[in-house]
Amino acid sequence: MAANPRKGSTTRQEDRIHFWQASTAQKYLSGQTLLQISERYLRILTRNLDTLDIQNEWVGLPDLYNFLQMEVSRAAIESMMGSKILELNPTLVEDFWNFDSNVPNYIRGFPRWIIPSAYKARDRLLASVKKWHAYAHEHSDCSKLGPDDPEWDPYFGTKLVKARQNYALKMKPMDADARASEDMGLLFAANANAVPSIFWYLFETLKDSSLGARMWAEARTCRTEDSGFDITRLSNKPLLQSAYAEVLRLRVAITMTRTDEFGDFNLAGYTVPKHKPIVIFSRTAALNEEAWTLAGRPPSRPLEEFYADRFLAYPDATNDKGRASSNPAELSSETETTENLEPAEPQFSLDGLAGCWLPYGGGQRMCPGRHFAKNEIIGTFALLFSRYEIQLKNADHSKVQPDMRWYPVGGLPPVCKVPFRIRKRQGS
């Protein structure tokens, strides 16, 4: 993945697929391009929501998760891949979630003859992506990646997608089928973890009205003159970030695999032989109280419990070393009573938790789309709360649990439908 190939490598520079995957994602999912795709996503989501028949009267809907699947995915796909992919394939969003519902079966390696409908769903989605590619190449030039070229067009969408096509076309093994598989992977990466995370982010704020009020109070300070949001400021608010990090800690479960290619590896007294795979489970670390304590962040609430403030640090104003506590109860009484001294504002902090908070993986292979995912999760919450009042219909929330069949594939969807009602927000 490095800029220069490993010593002794005989792979052509054009064929270094891991390098091209990583470098293009890092280039086009950061900085100004990240801001542009995040703002485009919110504009498209706003436009799409305006077409829904939701006015001043309450409208009951059967499933919050399905509502988000349809609306969030449609906006995310268009903002990243352009509008033509959806025009050419009107059932693309439904087809994607049909494919996604079968992920636990694919991962377990069931053959086609046992789950033929699951493989047909995958075939249909691959055919749709392949059809879109052919059309886009007829009407647009994926090599137009210069600073003066458009950042988005309706055919390929972003320069990220153009760059992926541009390098893949130079690789002999990357035929049309392989390129379709690559971009179906991008579809999966853009939706399969973000949408479940957005669901849990909203669900936790809707079931706890006081938390929802606190989070909306933060979000309101980031409104722009056109009733939109400053996504950069929004995604840097402490409570909004803490709730986001807590959702990912509890509701995203992945594995990371590593192999030492050069020699035996010592891991806490255990010898892992050369070429033996090491598998790291994010959820194991997320729920390990001993690991959190050793990291200097002993849990103030059980790690099995959702606690939106878990990643807030409260600086101790009386400590000139700048000590910060993740538990407001740990602040000294002197801080609370010192005359003319305002308690310090909480700050979002992941300090010390590199080995405990792993929803995006770690190291070189950490998810390059994590910054867009963060903007997408927090931005969707702010946009929905600014436009609508939303209420959960069922008072008993204990049945709404993550579906562990998806462990350890990524975002964990809810095990059941969550009915809700929605109407336009009355006032600000």
Side-chain angles (χ1 to χ4, degrees), residues 75-152:
I77 290 169
E78 183 175 347
S79 65
M80 184 174 291
M81 297 179 160
S83 54
K84 294 301 179 182
I85 184 173
L86 295 167
E87 293 175 16
L88 291 165
N89 305 289
T91 63
L92 182 79
V93 175
E94 292 85 350
D95 290 344
F96 169 78
W97 288 108
N98 186 13
F99 158 79
D100 182 80
S101 70
N102 286 291
V103 163
N105 294 327
Y106 302 132
I107 293 298
R108 285 161 178 79
F110 293 134
R112 184 180 287 265
W113 63 270
I114 290 181
I115 50 170
S117 62
Y119 280 92
K120 286 179 181 178
R122 191 178 70 177
D123 293 342
R124 187 163 56 250
L125 194 57
L126 281 166
S128 296
V129 174
K130 192 174 177 180
K131 176 183 177 182
W132 159 56
H133 280 171
Y135 183 86
H137 281 295
E138 288 177 3
H139 294 84
S140 184
D141 184 350
C142 67
S143 68
K144 297 295 186 181
L145 297 168
D148 296 329
D149 293 316
E151 293 297 327
W152 185 93

Side-chain angles (χ1 to χ4, degrees), residues 196-197 200 204 207 246-253 283 304 306 400-402 410-413:
S197 299
W200 291 111
E204 295 294 346
K207 79 175 189 180
E246 180 70 342
V247 162
L248 267 60
R249 182 187 71 83
L250 268 181
R251 307 303 188 213
V252 174
R283 192 170 174 83
E304 292 76 15
F306 178 87
V400 185
Q401 298 293 328
L412 305 173

Side-chain angles (χ1 to χ4, degrees), residues 157-328:
T158 57
K159 285 181 176 177
L160 169 66
V161 175
K162 285 186 176 181
R164 286 165 59 88
Q165 287 292 304
N166 192 46
Y167 71 65
L169 287 170
K170 299 171 185 176
M171 298 180 183
K172 291 181 181 179
M174 295 295 289
D175 59 13
D177 289 328
R179 294 195 302 273
S181 293
E182 278 288 285
D183 272 356
M184 198 175 91
L186 184 62
L187 266 177
F188 184 78
N191 292 282
N193 292 336
V195 174
S197 299
I198 291 169
F199 166 82
W200 291 111
Y201 199 83
L202 286 171
F203 177 76
E204 295 294 346
T205 58
L206 292 172
K207 79 175 189 180
D208 183 345
S209 58
S210 62
L211 172 62
R214 290 171 59 209
M215 291 174 63
W216 174 231
E218 272 199 348
R220 286 175 62 181
T221 66
C222 302
R223 298 293 293 268
T224 57
E225 292 182 358
D226 60 356
S227 297
F229 288 91
D230 182 330
I231 191 65
T232 302
R233 288 183 58 212
L234 188 71
S235 292
N236 281 284
K237 287 294 180 179
L239 179 59
L240 296 178
Q241 289 187 93
S242 182
Y244 147 85
E246 180 70 342
V247 162
L248 267 60
R249 182 187 71 83
L250 268 181
R251 307 303 188 213
V252 174
I254 64 169
T255 56
M256 293 144 278
T257 53
R258 299 290 186 268
T259 304
D260 194 324
E261 298 177 285
F262 305 104
D264 294 351
F265 177 70
N266 184 279
L267 179 64
Y270 293 89
T271 298
V272 180
K274 179 181 177 180
H275 294 317
K276 284 288 183 180
I278 304 169
V279 182
I280 305 156
F281 291 86
S282 67
R283 192 170 174 83
T284 302
L287 299 176
N288 189 324
E289 183 175 343
E290 181 182 3
W292 280 68
T293 302
L294 289 171
R297 301 287 289 269
S300 57
R301 300 277 185 92
L303 290 171
E304 292 76 15
E305 170 188 327
F306 178 87
Y307 178 42
D309 293 48
R310 192 179 302 278
F311 295 89
L312 293 182
Y314 293 79
D316 186 342
T318 66
N319 188 336
D320 59 10
K321 294 182 180 178
R323 183 185 69 85
S325 169
S326 60
N327 182 358

Side-chain angles (χ1 to χ4, degrees), residues 377-396:
I377 294 166
I378 297 177
T380 302
F381 158 79
L383 180 61
L384 289 174
F385 263 58
S386 71
R387 300 172 65 84
Y388 303 112
E389 295 176 36
I390 306 173
Q391 294 179 354
L392 301 178
K393 281 191 171 182
N394 293 342
D396 182 9

